[in-house]
PDB file of all heavy atoms in Angstrom:
ATOM      1  N   ASN A 536       8.177   0.710   0.459  1.00 96.00           N
ATOM      2  CA  ASN A 536       7.274   0.041  -0.492  1.00 96.00           C
ATOM      3  C   ASN A 536       6.002  -0.472   0.173  1.00 96.00           C
ATOM      4  O   ASN A 536       5.199  -1.110  -0.474  1.00 96.00           O
ATOM      5  CB  ASN A 536       8.005  -1.129  -1.142  1.00 96.00           C
ATOM      6  CG  ASN A 536       9.170  -0.679  -2.004  1.00 96.00           C
ATOM      7  OD1 ASN A 536       9.146   0.411  -2.569  1.00 96.00           O
ATOM      8  ND2 ASN A 536      10.180  -1.513  -2.120  1.00 96.00           N
ATOM      9  N   ASN A 537       5.868  -0.184   1.492  1.00 95.00           N
ATOM     10  CA  ASN A 537       4.685  -0.662   2.264  1.00 95.00           C
ATOM     11  C   ASN A 537       4.540  -2.175   2.169  1.00 95.00           C
ATOM     12  O   ASN A 537       3.442  -2.697   1.989  1.00 95.00           O
ATOM     13  CB  ASN A 537       3.431   0.038   1.768  1.00 95.00           C
ATOM     14  CG  ASN A 537       3.546   1.544   1.708  1.00 95.00           C
ATOM     15  OD1 ASN A 537       3.356   2.161   0.660  1.00 95.00           O
ATOM     16  ND2 ASN A 537       3.901   2.162   2.827  1.00 95.00           N
ATOM     17  N   ALA A 538       5.703  -2.853   2.294  1.00 95.00           N
ATOM     18  CA  ALA A 538       5.719  -4.302   2.111  1.00 95.00           C
ATOM     19  C   ALA A 538       5.789  -5.099   3.407  1.00 95.00           C
ATOM     20  O   ALA A 538       5.670  -6.326   3.382  1.00 95.00           O
ATOM     21  CB  ALA A 538       6.899  -4.688   1.221  1.00 95.00           C
ATOM     22  N   GLY A 539       6.005  -4.452   4.558  1.00 93.00           N
ATOM     23  CA  GLY A 539       5.995  -5.164   5.845  1.00 93.00           C
ATOM     24  C   GLY A 539       7.334  -5.609   6.333  1.00 93.00           C
ATOM     25  O   GLY A 539       8.204  -4.789   6.675  1.00 93.00           O
ATOM     26  N   PRO A 540       7.566  -6.940   6.395  1.00 96.00           N
ATOM     27  CA  PRO A 540       8.789  -7.445   7.007  1.00 96.00           C
ATOM     28  C   PRO A 540      10.017  -7.210   6.138  1.00 96.00           C
ATOM     29  O   PRO A 540       9.942  -7.218   4.921  1.00 96.00           O
ATOM     30  CB  PRO A 540       8.526  -8.924   7.177  1.00 96.00           C
ATOM     31  CG  PRO A 540       7.522  -9.235   6.100  1.00 96.00           C
ATOM     32  CD  PRO A 540       6.668  -8.019   5.975  1.00 96.00           C
ATOM     33  N   GLY A 541      11.161  -7.030   6.810  1.00 96.00           N
ATOM     34  CA  GLY A 541      12.441  -6.971   6.142  1.00 96.00           C
ATOM     35  C   GLY A 541      13.242  -8.211   6.491  1.00 96.00           C
ATOM     36  O   GLY A 541      12.699  -9.317   6.531  1.00 96.00           O
ATOM     37  N   LEU A 542      14.513  -8.037   6.807  1.00 96.00           N
ATOM     38  CA  LEU A 542      15.365  -9.155   7.160  1.00 96.00           C
ATOM     39  C   LEU A 542      16.122  -8.847   8.444  1.00 96.00           C
ATOM     40  O   LEU A 542      16.140  -7.724   8.910  1.00 96.00           O
ATOM     41  CB  LEU A 542      16.368  -9.446   6.009  1.00 96.00           C
ATOM     42  CG  LEU A 542      15.783  -9.874   4.674  1.00 96.00           C
ATOM     43  CD1 LEU A 542      16.873  -9.999   3.640  1.00 96.00           C
ATOM     44  CD2 LEU A 542      14.998 -11.181   4.790  1.00 96.00           C
ATOM     45  N   ASN A 543      16.724  -9.891   8.991  1.00 95.00           N
ATOM     46  CA  ASN A 543      17.531  -9.781  10.207  1.00 95.00           C
ATOM     47  C   ASN A 543      16.691  -9.369  11.388  1.00 95.00           C
ATOM     48  O   ASN A 543      15.770 -10.071  11.749  1.00 95.00           O
ATOM     49  CB  ASN A 543      18.736  -8.855   9.986  1.00 95.00           C
ATOM     50  CG  ASN A 543      19.931  -9.275  10.819  1.00 95.00           C
ATOM     51  OD1 ASN A 543      19.914 -10.329  11.451  1.00 95.00           O
ATOM     52  ND2 ASN A 543      20.980  -8.475  10.817  1.00 95.00           N
ATOM     53  N   GLU A 544      16.933  -8.181  11.987  1.00 95.00           N
ATOM     54  CA  GLU A 544      16.187  -7.768  13.165  1.00 95.00           C
ATOM     55  C   GLU A 544      14.702  -7.515  12.887  1.00 95.00           C
ATOM     56  O   GLU A 544      13.863  -7.564  13.781  1.00 95.00           O
ATOM     57  CB  GLU A 544      16.800  -6.501  13.782  1.00 95.00           C
ATOM     58  CG  GLU A 544      18.041  -6.748  14.597  1.00 95.00           C
ATOM     59  CD  GLU A 544      18.403  -5.546  15.469  1.00 95.00           C
ATOM     60  OE1 GLU A 544      17.469  -4.913  16.004  1.00 95.00           O
ATOM     61  OE2 GLU A 544      19.596  -5.257  15.584  1.00 95.00           O
ATOM     62  N   VAL A 545      14.368  -7.239  11.635  1.00 96.00           N
ATOM     63  CA  VAL A 545      12.963  -6.948  11.275  1.00 96.00           C
ATOM     64  C   VAL A 545      12.426  -8.017  10.333  1.00 96.00           C
ATOM     65  O   VAL A 545      11.595  -7.738   9.471  1.00 96.00           O
ATOM     66  CB  VAL A 545      12.844  -5.536  10.643  1.00 96.00           C
ATOM     67  CG1 VAL A 545      13.149  -4.465  11.664  1.00 96.00           C
ATOM     68  CG2 VAL A 545      13.787  -5.384   9.454  1.00 96.00           C
ATOM     69  N   GLY A 546      12.874  -9.250  10.523  1.00 94.00           N
ATOM     70  CA  GLY A 546      12.453 -10.342   9.658  1.00 94.00           C
ATOM     71  C   GLY A 546      11.033 -10.806   9.917  1.00 94.00           C
ATOM     72  O   GLY A 546      10.352 -10.317  10.827  1.00 94.00           O
ATOM     73  N   PRO A 547      10.560 -11.758   9.128  1.00 94.00           N
ATOM     74  CA  PRO A 547       9.144 -12.181   9.211  1.00 94.00           C
ATOM     75  C   PRO A 547       8.773 -12.888  10.516  1.00 94.00           C
ATOM     76  O   PRO A 547       7.614 -12.908  10.877  1.00 94.00           O
ATOM     77  CB  PRO A 547       9.007 -13.150   8.018  1.00 94.00           C
ATOM     78  CG  PRO A 547      10.408 -13.621   7.752  1.00 94.00           C
ATOM     79  CD  PRO A 547      11.303 -12.466   8.068  1.00 94.00           C
TER      80      PRO A 547
END
Side-chain angles (χ1 to χ4, degrees):
N536 295 331
N537 309 123
L542 298 174
N543 212 6
E544 282 194 39
V545 292

